[in-house]
Amino acid sequence: MDWTSLRNEFPVTRRWAFLDHAAVAAPTERARRALVEWTDDLAANGVVTEGRWLKRVEESRQLFGRLLNADPLDVAFVKNTSEGIDFVAEGFPWRPGDNVVTSADEYPANLYPWLNLKSRGVEVRRVAIRGPRVDLDDLQAAMDARTRLVSLSFVEYASGFRNDLDAVGTLCRERGAYFFVDAIQGLGVLPLDVQRTPVDFLSADGHKWLLGPEGAGVFYIRRELVELLRPVSVGWNSVVGAWDFSTIDFRLKPHAGRWENGTLNIGGVVALGASLGLLLEIGIDIVEQRVLELTDYLCERALSAGIEVFSSRLPGECSGIVALVVPGADLKELVRRCRGAGIVVNQRAGRLRVSPHCYNTHEEIDRLVEALPRPE
Ligand SMILES: Cc1ncc(COP(=O)(O)O)c(C=O)c1O
């Protein structure tokens, strides 16, 4: 793979060493062009060329089918991760006394929708983490006969810990619980095959590792579970004959499409598809290898500068997110100072968070490490 020429696909590289994909990524040149083209076409033609863009939405759906190894019909476009989590939290047939198991340190998007179920008698069990790790035995110990669902991130946003989705999904199957994955910190950079990995529901916004604009993401639901959920926020586009407006025939689509209740964020979905097309052309396995190589390099450089790496870098546990401990540093100030030097990183949970994508370079990592304060 020619990583140097790939940089032409990323306008952000002109100004920044951009190492903050766990926050809000800069979309690819293809995504930028798709959005401009859509806006220009809409402004010039309105509904006249709508069919062309609806076709492009379906092409994006096909790409997500390929990404997840799913039937594209099992993928619905959503406005963000939270929307997909709410589809399940609000639509699940809870009974008072049921519980949901999750990790204590999940991003709030994957906690509040479950905590909101208290009034329906559902308990949320937040398993404490051990260092950077969500421990499988701890999850197992928190589960009982009333555990209906486990909800975890693919990759934990603060520590970068990559959950073993195969192991957790298998545990859920054995215990008769469903498995929800907040995939935003992994999808696009780590492979996930829903035919192989027992994931029941998944939601991910597109503005991080998938390199799309904000406000366009995906929700996946295993086909046999469609009838399990009460579809919240149904609309004209949820039904089989959606485009026949003069016939009222309330038969819901038999797949994820029923959750696309109305008009989509067409520009956003098409732009997201443009970026995903690029990632799939490279190959997600190759993207993963590159990101792990860059993050390994970052950890080596940081350690040799005396900076502690908080994230687990064990195979199967490492991801594109590296959390560094920079003792005594005012992290907000450090992030600001890095930006002043043209380097974009972030801080979460009292640590510096660095999250390179495949188009970043070893030189950019060097620049970052050189900009960090050395421990006394
Ligand atoms: C694990 C995780 N879930 C969800 C989100 C964002 O949620 P939403 O797409 O609903 O804004 C983030 C953003 O940082 C995240 O790290």
Side-chain angles (χ1 to χ4, degrees):
M1 180 69 209
D2 180 355
W3 298 111
T4 306
S5 64
L6 180 75
R7 286 172 73 78
N8 296 328
E9 300 267 6
F10 292 86
V12 72
T13 56
R14 291 182 207 130
R15 174 159 183 205
W16 300 101
F18 191 90
L19 304 168
D20 198 11
H21 297 86
V24 177
T28 59
E29 171 61 16
R30 295 182 192 197
R32 190 195 67 76
R33 255 190 277 125
L35 264 176
V36 170
E37 202 189 324
W38 172 73
T39 311
D40 287 350
D41 194 11
L42 188 65
N45 302 301
V47 73
V48 178
T49 51
E50 184 183 48
R52 177 172 160 225
W53 293 99
L54 292 178
K55 190 164 159 280
R56 300 260 309 254
V57 165
E58 293 318 307
E59 287 165 7
S60 293
R61 199 186 307 280
Q62 296 286 330
L63 293 175
F64 273 98
R66 264 178 64 198
L67 178 71
L68 294 168
N69 193 22
D71 185 330
L73 291 175
D74 295 335
V75 170
F77 290 110
V78 286
K79 66 173 188 275
N80 52 38
T81 321
S82 305
E83 187 174 35
I85 299 175
D86 275 324
F87 288 161
V88 179
E90 291 301 315
F92 195 86
W94 305 107
R95 285 165 308 182
D98 286 343
N99 67 69
V100 175
V101 170
T102 183
S103 144
D105 286 34
E106 286 293 302
Y107 187 78
N110 192 28
L111 287 172
Y112 293 132
W114 312 115
L115 291 169
N116 193 33
L117 297 169
K118 189 172 180 192
S119 58
R120 291 167 68 180
V122 178
E123 179 198 354
V124 179
R125 297 185 174 175
R126 295 171 59 185
V127 173
I129 56 170
R130 294 177 188 260
R133 209 165 266 109
V134 181
D135 190 277
L136 188 66
D137 292 336
D138 292 341
L139 286 173
Q140 190 161 359
M143 294 171 75
D144 62 16
R146 297 303 303 273
T147 303
R148 306 295 305 282
L149 187 138
V150 174
S151 185
L152 277 185
S153 291
F154 193 170
V155 169
E156 299 295 332
Y157 81 103
S159 68
F161 182 75
R162 173 184 186 159
N163 283 299
D164 183 343
L165 301 187
D166 288 290
V168 180
T170 304
L171 173 65
C172 288
R173 287 279 154 89
E174 286 165 6
R175 297 294 196 89
Y178 296 100
F179 186 29
F180 187 103
V181 177
D182 172 345
I184 192 171
Q185 294 290 8
L187 216 59
V189 77
L190 305 178
L192 176 58
D193 175 343
V194 296
Q195 306 301 330
R196 218 175 45 81
T197 302
V199 168
D200 296 309
F201 315 99
L202 170 154
S203 188
D205 214 334
H207 64 262
K208 299 185 192 285
W209 304 93
L210 287 163
L211 304 168
E214 291 172 288
V218 283
F219 170 65
Y220 162 82
I221 175 168
R222 199 170 280 288
R223 184 74 59 94
E224 52 277 26
L225 302 181
V226 165
E227 295 297 337
L228 176 76
L229 300 186
R230 176 181 157 76
V232 287
S233 67
V234 156
W236 69 267
N237 194 38
S238 300
V239 299
V240 177
W243 289 91
D244 181 1
F245 308 134
S246 53
T247 304
I248 297 305
D249 177 5
F250 188 53
R251 279 180 298 134
L252 292 166
K253 289 176 182 168
H255 47 66
R258 66 174 59 179
W259 280 275
E260 285 179 2
N261 57 2
T263 305
L264 288 172
N265 169 6
I266 291 180
V269 167
V270 169
L272 175 60
S275 284
L276 177 55
L278 174 62
L279 291 169
L280 290 171
E281 269 172 34
I282 300 168
I284 302 295
D285 289 345
I286 309 282
V287 171
E288 179 191 31
Q289 259 176 41
R290 167 77 175 178
V291 168
L292 294 185
E293 186 202 319
L294 287 170
T295 46
D296 278 346
Y297 180 69
L298 164 66
C299 294
E300 262 169 47
R301 288 286 332 257
L303 286 170
S304 57
I307 296 165
E308 185 192 333
V309 175
F310 178 78
S311 307
S312 168
R313 297 301 299 172
L314 295 176
E317 295 189 350
C318 56
S319 71
I321 298 178
V322 174
L324 299 175
V325 182
V326 192
D330 173 341
L331 289 174
K332 281 192 180 153
E333 179 50 32
L334 180 56
V335 166
R336 239 193 321 268
R337 211 150 28 79
C338 284
R339 285 191 191 176
I343 304 163
V344 186
V345 288
N346 226 314
Q347 46 95 22
R348 292 287 186 272
R351 294 177 290 266
L352 193 72
R353 188 181 69 176
V354 187
S355 48
H357 213 305
C358 63
Y359 65 88
N360 288 119
T361 63
H362 294 82
E363 291 70 32
E364 288 175 322
I365 305 275
D366 289 339
R367 271 176 65 196
L368 167 67
V369 176
E370 275 144 33
L372 297 182
R374 300 291 184 267
E376 312 269 294

